[in-house]
């Protein structure tokens, strides 16, 4: 079972909530071997939401939408965080890591200087649903050794508040430390489950970029003297104001499930070419050359 903690009842944590800067619908697309998904955080938002590079949402009951999976492909210069809501996906990589991502689990992979991996379904029917977030690495760490961690569902701490269950994947919420801590980007990654009408608030440092992605129901984001309703399948980019200290939300009549994600921006140049994210075009050219030269290791599918 997950570690479940009940926070004490306290006065409001957030004194000045962040407003919504814009709502984003995401773009329907496909990746890998034809996997259908929605690209919620696109390349055009990378600088605005630094250190986050991409957020993909996938979810289907039709195996034809996901059965091809993501065969062997390379990465360099960032981290991938895959959160599985439903389904099973097997990971293999050129560093020798292998594991199965299951319902409620997280796979946190550091590509670093480069590896090749595959993510293939371990099911032929039923629902597959989840998210993949790309988190940038600082320039000093882009050529670090690759790393991989499977975090089972019962290893993710859960916070219980009136009308709310919060899965604390990274960072901390109401004094509960998440499964992952990263000192440079200080990511906050919460999966928030709210009952109808229930409220939740989360402290977020003023200098951190933050967004909320609603994937079930709807919620209202309190802006102090107003509120913005965020329907399902929409991402709210939260405004950066020096006086704001967090986010307040309240679920609609059907309740809500949402991701709250925030992090400290790196403020470094971003150069991306497909699965490579570096700081300059010269480093991108080197990444492509190293991959072609076999320096990322042997593909796991061979």
């Amino acid at each position: 079972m997950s570690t479940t903690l009940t926070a004490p009842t306290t006065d409001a944590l957030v004194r000045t909530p962040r407003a919504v800067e814009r709502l984003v619908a995401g773009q329907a697309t496909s990746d890998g071997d034809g996997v259908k998904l929605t690209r919620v955080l696109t390349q055009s938002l990378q600088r605005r939401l630094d250190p986050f590079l991409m957020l993909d949402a996938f979810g289907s009951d039709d195996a034809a939408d996901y059965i091809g999976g993501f065969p062997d492909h390379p990465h360099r210069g960032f981290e991938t965080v895959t959160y599985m809501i439903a389904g099973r996906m097997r990971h293999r990589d050129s560093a020798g890591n292998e594991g199965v991502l299951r319902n409620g689990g997280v796979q946190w992979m550091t590509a670093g200087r480069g590896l090749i991996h595959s993510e293939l379904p371990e099911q032929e029917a039923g629902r597959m649903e989840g998210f993949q977030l790309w988190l940038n690495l600082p320039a000093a760490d882009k050529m670090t050794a690759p790393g991989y961690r499977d975090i089972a569902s019962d290893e993710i701490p859960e916070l219980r508040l009136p009308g709310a269950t919060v899965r604390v994947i990274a960072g901390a919420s109401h004094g509960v430390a998440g499964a992952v801590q990263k000192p440079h980007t200080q990511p906050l990654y919460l999966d928030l489950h709210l009952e109808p009408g229930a409220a939740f608030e989360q402290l977020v440092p003023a200098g951190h970029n933050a967004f909320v992605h609603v994937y079930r129901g709807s919620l209202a984001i309190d802006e102090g003297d107003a509120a913005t309703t965020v329907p399902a399948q929409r991402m709210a980019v939260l405004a950066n104001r020096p006086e704001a200290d967090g986010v307040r939300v309240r679920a609609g009549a059907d309740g809500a499930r949402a991701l709250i994600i925030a992090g400290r921006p790196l403020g470094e140049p971003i150069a991306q070419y497909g699965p490579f994210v570096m700081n300059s075009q010269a480093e991108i050219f080197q990444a492509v050359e190293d991959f072609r030269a076999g320096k990322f290791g042997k593909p796991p599918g061979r």
Side-chain angles (χ1 to χ4, degrees):
M1 296 176 62
S2 300
T3 301
T4 302
L5 300 169
T6 301
T9 301
T10 61
D11 294 334
L13 293 176
V14 175
R15 296 182 182 275
T16 306
R18 290 192 183 209
V20 174
E21 180 179 293
R22 69 183 105 164
L23 296 181
V24 177
Q27 300 175 1
T29 185
S30 64
D31 210 334
D33 188 11
V35 177
K36 292 184 178 180
L37 51 84
T38 299
R39 189 141 293 160
V40 181
L41 196 168
T42 61
Q43 196 164 350
S44 64
L45 287 169
Q46 286 179 346
R47 294 189 182 279
R48 174 62 188 84
L49 292 176
D50 175 16
F52 304 106
L53 300 164
M54 189 186 80
L55 176 66
D56 282 348
F58 54 91
S60 180
D61 296 302
D62 184 351
D65 291 340
Y66 62 73
I67 200 65
F70 303 89
D72 293 348
H73 58 283
H75 289 300
R76 173 180 277 185
F78 61 99
E79 299 184 285
T80 66
V81 184
T82 308
Y83 179 35
M84 189 68 78
I85 302 296
R88 300 184 308 280
M89 187 87 76
R90 180 173 295 277
H91 165 98
R92 293 188 177 95
D93 66 41
S94 55
N97 299 303
E98 182 172 348
V100 177
L101 183 59
R102 295 179 171 86
N103 297 13
V106 171
Q107 174 198 100
W108 199 293
M109 187 185 79
T110 302
R113 62 176 175 251
L115 51 65
I116 303 169
H117 79 147
S118 63
E119 300 156 294
L120 300 174
E122 283 277 296
Q123 62 190 60
E124 296 182 355
R127 184 159 186 81
M128 181 168 284
E129 180 182 9
F131 304 92
Q132 185 170 93
L133 178 72
W134 286 14
L135 173 63
N136 207 359
L137 285 169
D141 292 340
K142 282 190 175 292
M143 296 298 285
T144 193
Y148 170 82
R149 182 181 170 192
D150 262 331
I151 306 168
S153 182
D154 61 7
E155 296 177 55
I156 297 173
E158 289 189 356
L159 167 68
R160 296 290 174 86
L161 295 165
T165 298
V166 188
R167 308 198 77 218
V168 190
I169 296 168
S173 182
H174 294 250
V176 176
V180 175
Q181 308 296 324
K182 293 286 179 174
H184 294 292
T185 49
Q186 298 179 7
L188 172 74
Y189 193 148
L190 307 179
D191 180 17
L192 176 63
H193 302 192
L194 289 177
E195 296 175 7
F200 174 77
E201 55 185 30
Q202 173 66 37
L203 291 171
V204 177
H208 290 202
N209 290 325
F211 61 92
V212 178
H213 176 65
V214 179
Y215 66 98
R216 295 271 201 288
S218 66
L219 55 75
I221 296 181
D222 178 12
E223 298 173 304
D225 55 358
T228 295
T229 298
V230 187
Q233 315 310 321
R234 293 293 185 273
M235 176 177 77
V237 177
L238 301 181
N240 295 76
R241 296 187 296 167
E243 70 275 15
D245 59 354
V247 58
R248 288 188 194 140
V249 300
R250 184 177 297 275
D254 296 325
R257 292 186 64 172
L259 305 180
I260 297 180
I261 297 175
R264 184 171 70 179
L266 294 171
E268 298 176 344
I270 300 171
Q272 179 178 357
Y273 178 69
F276 308 128
V277 183
M278 303 300 289
N279 299 110
S280 69
Q281 287 301 313
E283 291 172 333
I284 290 292
F285 294 148
Q286 188 63 56
V288 173
E289 183 177 321
D290 289 349
F291 170 60
R292 291 174 175 170
K295 294 183 179 180
F296 284 25
K298 182 180 178 181
R302 299 180 187 175

